[in-house]
Amino acid sequence: MLVLPSCSRRLGGDRDTVSEARIACIMPTETLTGPWSPESWQTRRLAQIPRYHDRERLHDVLARLGRLPPLVTSWEVEALRERIAAAQQGRVFVLQGGDCAETFDDCTSENLVQKLKILLQMSVVIIAGLKRPVVRLGRMAGQYAKPRSDDAETRDGISLPSYRGDLVNRSAFTGPDREPDPELMLRGYERAALTLNFVRSLIDGGFADLHHPENWDLAFVSHSPMADRYHELVQRVSDGLDFFESITGTKIHEARRVDFFTSHEGLNLYYEQAQTRFLKHRGAWYNLTTHCPWIGARTAATDGAHVEYFRGIANPVGVKIGPAVTADELRELIRVLNPENVPGRLALIHRLGTERIDGKLQEFIEIVRAEKATVLWMCDPMHGNTEVLQSGIKTRRFDRILKELEDAFRIHREQGTYLGGVHLELTGEHVTECLGGARGLAEADLHQAYRSQVDPRLNYEQAMEVAMRIADRGGRAA
Ligand code: PEP
Ligand code: CO
């Protein structure tokens, strides 16, 4: 069991909990100084944290958030940790995906069903190809805050705070809309709860039963150039299940309830801290807004607030590592975030870009090997391949995304490590945000259905094509 430092009063914490926490307090590593608490991050260097001017309202909202029931349970979080530990050993593959940013308006049944469908469809293709269980990790039920390059946005000589996602402020370009509003954290928590409630009901109600993949057919599957291949793969999984069940005379229980977990970038630490609880029966602190929060590339500084917060929670956590991460930084991240080398605790999500992956990834692997660290290697082929066209449109080229993914598989294979997951920005809709893919989307096509307010996502067909490429790794992947 991971025992984490927890030496000072938590927001809304009761005395019993606090004294138990004190007893459980150990420092995870000598490289860290000072005690940890859910709010100790506030003493560190802050990056991408909203400036709430009305402190009284902020504290009132945090106290209210802290009293609300958790969105996930530690049992689920621990179950995910076990799955990630299995993925670290090459026995499971993790499919993490969803929108770059969720918005409150997107919280509709249609949207959520579409998102679930695409992740389920992709996973069945990957299961058929890799012949391994797939854990689905939605970028959902909390992906409401975004890092920004600039604190301010200027239009026609007027400067206002940048829009940082629905959890923080509103996108309309007016002073009141751009002012960070603590109440939005409550609205975000509610949307996350509604999302989880619906997703859980669908999964428990049999929607995700692997025996009935026809539930997940999206309207345009039949018109897609990939339809035949998809149906052939689905049939293969279905036949495999039937065959196993008929020779053993038992139903495969696990296949009825697929693994589905949630994740989001733990960016607005006020929100994260308010739902961070010390669980006596586990002797550890958990972030109960999500199963697996991750640290974004812009907030991964080892002396920064985000790493400070993340070191103290027991959830499995991800950290994005980009081309600018140095050997010392990676070493420090591993030591601070997983000092006890707990299996299933740490996922390193490399997002290097097609130009940089060859060379940089080998360096990262070497460091992890020298540290004897147990990590889950995941590839995010999206964020190192974003470009802005002359027209000002932000896009990604599908062939570059595929190339980075292929290179990641190849390099891990050459190095004797296992690429245990992918991290993708995608949607189940037929948007036109990334160039290329089966229909060869060109620059002139992008305007047809470009809906993202933030990063360009793979559309349905592009996402399925990625899944098929992963499936094609088959026996070659490990
Ligand atoms: C993201 O995942 O949306 C993101 C901002 O990624 P990164 O932190 O890797 O840039
Ligand atoms: Co993004």
Side-chain angles (χ1 to χ4, degrees), residues 330-351:
L330 181 56
R331 225 173 273 124
E332 187 72 359
L333 276 173
I334 293 166
R335 290 180 189 173
V336 172
L337 293 173
N338 197 15
E340 312 278 319
N341 205 17
V342 174
R345 155 75 173 168
L346 183 60
L348 295 181
I349 309 166
H350 46 83
R351 31 87 80 221

Side-chain angles (χ1 to χ4, degrees), residues 158-204:
I158 300 170
S159 276
L160 292 174
S162 294
Y163 168 61
R164 291 182 174 275
D166 283 6
L167 194 70
V168 176
N169 55 5
R170 298 174 181 85
S171 61
F173 195 72
T174 74
D177 283 309
R178 290 296 175 91
E179 178 66 25
D181 178 357
E183 284 283 327
L184 294 175
M185 287 191 271
L186 284 163
R187 302 291 86 79
Y189 164 90
E190 289 155 5
R191 289 297 198 288
L194 294 170
T195 301
L196 271 165
N197 181 53
F198 187 49
V199 168
R200 284 192 214 281
S201 305
L202 283 172
I203 289 178
D204 288 350

Side-chain angles (χ1 to χ4, degrees), residues 127-391:
I127 292 170
L130 294 188
K131 300 186 180 57
R132 291 190 189 117
V134 169
V135 170
R136 300 132 194 103
L137 193 50
R139 276 177 71 114
M140 63 201 293
Q143 182 54 21
Y144 303 120
K146 292 310 296 173
R148 300 307 305 264
S149 336
D150 296 310
D151 281 347
E153 182 183 341
T154 305
R155 288 190 203 173
D156 301 327
I158 300 170
S159 276
L160 292 174
S162 294
Y163 168 61
R164 291 182 174 275
D166 283 6
L167 194 70
V168 176
N169 55 5
R170 298 174 181 85
S171 61
F173 195 72
T174 74
D177 283 309
R178 290 296 175 91
E179 178 66 25
D181 178 357
E183 284 283 327
L184 294 175
M185 287 191 271
L186 284 163
R187 302 291 86 79
Y189 164 90
E190 289 155 5
R191 289 297 198 288
L194 294 170
T195 301
L196 271 165
N197 181 53
F198 187 49
V199 168
R200 284 192 214 281
S201 305
L202 283 172
I203 289 178
D204 288 350
F207 178 80
D209 187 338
L210 278 177
H211 296 81
H212 293 287
E214 68 276 7
N215 285 347
W216 325 326
D217 268 0
L218 290 151
F220 31 81
V221 167
S222 49
H223 311 297
S224 163
M226 274 166 304
D228 290 349
R229 175 99 203 275
Y230 171 66
H231 286 119
E232 184 236 313
L233 288 166
V234 167
Q235 196 55 46
R236 226 198 279 167
V237 171
S238 238
D239 290 349
L241 280 179
D242 290 348
F243 177 68
F244 183 86
E245 289 180 349
S246 60
I247 57 166
T248 61
T250 53
K251 286 268 171 209
I252 301 175
H253 178 73
E254 278 199 10
R256 313 197 133 247
R257 280 230 202 140
V258 301
D259 287 333
F260 195 92
F261 298 94
T262 60
S263 64
H264 65 250
E265 180 174 349
L267 188 64
N268 186 353
L269 295 177
Y270 290 113
Y271 178 76
E272 311 300 330
Q273 105 181 17
Q275 280 269 337
T276 299
R277 302 192 175 172
F278 185 76
L279 301 183
K280 288 184 193 176
H281 59 287
R282 298 204 185 268
W285 295 87
Y286 284 80
N287 177 333
L288 296 177
T289 62
T290 189
H291 301 111
C292 180
W294 78 84
I295 305 176
R298 294 183 216 199
T299 48
T302 47
D303 60 347
H306 291 78
V307 171
E308 169 62 14
Y309 169 77
F310 273 73
R311 79 175 166 103
I313 54 170
N315 305 53
V317 299
V319 58
K320 295 277 201 89
I321 47 174
V325 171
T326 64
D328 283 347
E329 283 165 346
L330 181 56
R331 225 173 273 124
E332 187 72 359
L333 276 173
I334 293 166
R335 290 180 189 173
V336 172
L337 293 173
N338 197 15
E340 312 278 319
N341 205 17
V342 174
R345 155 75 173 168
L346 183 60
L348 295 181
I349 309 166
H350 46 83
R351 31 87 80 221
L352 294 163
T354 311
E355 311 290 326
R356 307 292 300 276
I357 185 166
D358 214 338
K360 197 69 196 175
L361 180 54
Q362 287 89 334
E363 272 175 42
F364 286 164
I365 293 172
E366 200 41 58
I367 291 156
V368 170
R369 190 173 284 134
E371 288 291 297
K372 298 190 172 48
T374 306
V375 303
L376 173 65
W377 289 107
M378 293 184 73
C379 173
D380 166 356
M382 313 295 295
H383 287 89
N385 292 312
T386 314
E387 61 184 279
V388 181
L389 300 173
Q390 279 205 322
S391 54

Side-chain angles (χ1 to χ4, degrees), residues 43-74:
T43 63
R44 299 293 174 102
R45 202 157 53 78
L46 306 184
Q48 304 286 340
I49 297 288
R51 291 195 194 101
Y52 294 105
H53 293 112
D54 188 341
R55 304 302 287 181
E56 216 169 291
R57 258 184 88 221
L58 171 66
H59 288 293
D60 173 56
V61 163
L62 295 184
R64 278 153 68 200
L65 251 182
R67 284 194 295 270
L68 290 168
L71 297 177
V72 302
T73 66
S74 64

Side-chain angles (χ1 to χ4, degrees), residues 6-25:
S6 43
C7 307
S8 69
R9 197 181 63 81
R10 75 186 166 95
L11 194 96
D14 63 75
R15 285 188 181 281
D16 280 359
T17 309
V18 172
S19 56
E20 279 219 11
R22 283 222 167 86
I23 294 163
C25 172

